[in-house]
Amino acid sequence: SNYDTGFVSGTWRHGYSDALTLEGRADASTQLQTLWLGAASALPGQFLGKFGWGGSQDDRQGNGGAWLLGLERIGLHSSLQVQVKEATRDFRNLALDETVLPTRREVAGNWTYTTSSAGTFGLGFASIDRYDFERVTTASLNHTIRIGARASLILNATRAIVGASANFVGVTLIVPMGGYRIASVNAAVREGQH
């Protein structure tokens, strides 16, 4: 990211009803201007749909565009989220270093289920297709369980299934210490790398 020069940024969001919210965001620096428009709407079956479109104009890269489409449902015991994002090769934003190409397409989703006694279980996937690297797709599993009155144990495993050969398994213990302090201990094993 290059924040050497000054920039201005503004966000506008308005809920038109209990079922529809519109938003806009504009950023401008001396060389880059971006505009993002989006909407979130309640859908049948207690789903929430999200849509967004953005455009950028960069003095060096030219014009670019991006969009996203998302769907989520949060229930009492389970939640589901899926999102697809795409960007043109020339799309830029203030947080993206000018030497890094944007992600061409990203598809991600997760599902979680919370039980009353065995904790929370989750499944996830992500597929990231970049302009400058091959596509990588991962699948993940996680489990979080409460230990005692306040501590939590988090187990997670991730496997790259397309574009890379890598596995990750991790364990994290989180213990609140009072006030705004926590103690955490984690251990992980990673094998393979692309």
Side-chain angles (χ1 to χ4, degrees):
S1 300
N2 184 0
Y3 294 112
D4 292 344
T5 59
F7 66 92
V8 295
S9 180
T11 300
W12 167 84
R13 182 175 293 130
H14 183 73
Y16 282 94
S17 69
D18 290 343
L20 177 64
T21 299
L22 299 180
E23 67 180 0
R25 179 181 172 92
D27 302 314
S29 68
T30 55
Q31 296 176 346
L32 173 65
Q33 298 80 42
T34 63
L35 175 67
W36 186 264
L37 302 172
S41 178
L43 300 173
Q46 297 182 334
F47 281 92
L48 176 68
K50 297 179 184 179
F51 172 77
W53 175 88
S56 68
Q57 193 283 318
D58 184 292
D59 290 348
R60 287 173 270 197
Q61 299 294 327
N63 297 330
W67 63 267
L68 76 82
L69 187 62
L71 186 66
E72 68 180 58
R73 184 178 192 279
I74 298 175
L76 185 58
H77 294 287
S78 68
S79 68
L80 172 70
Q81 298 176 332
V82 179
Q83 183 169 280
V84 179
K85 297 191 293 188
E86 284 193 5
T88 63
R89 186 178 188 91
D90 296 326
F91 180 74
R92 293 290 179 267
N93 63 46
L94 291 176
L96 185 64
D97 188 288
E98 62 189 38
T99 62
V100 177
L101 291 174
T103 299
R104 178 192 320 244
R105 180 180 302 112
E106 180 179 327
V107 180
N110 64 65
W111 171 77
T112 60
Y113 184 79
T114 302
T115 68
S116 58
S117 59
T120 300
F121 297 88
L123 302 169
F125 74 91
S127 179
I128 299 174
D129 186 5
R130 302 216 14 190
Y131 283 102
D132 49 355
F133 294 105
E134 67 180 312
R135 180 170 59 101
V136 174
T137 301
T138 62
S140 61
L141 301 167
N142 60 67
H143 180 227
T144 302
I145 190 163
R146 183 170 299 275
I147 297 177
R150 300 178 351 179
S152 296
L153 181 67
I154 303 166
L155 310 167
N156 57 54
T158 302
R159 179 175 175 81
I161 53 178
V162 173
S165 176
N167 299 309
F168 172 85
V169 177
V171 177
T172 303
L173 176 64
I174 299 175
V175 181
M177 302 299 288
Y180 295 103
R181 298 174 303 166
I182 63 165
S184 73
V185 178
N186 58 14
V189 175
R190 182 179 302 168
E191 68 177 19
Q193 205 77 31
H194 186 74

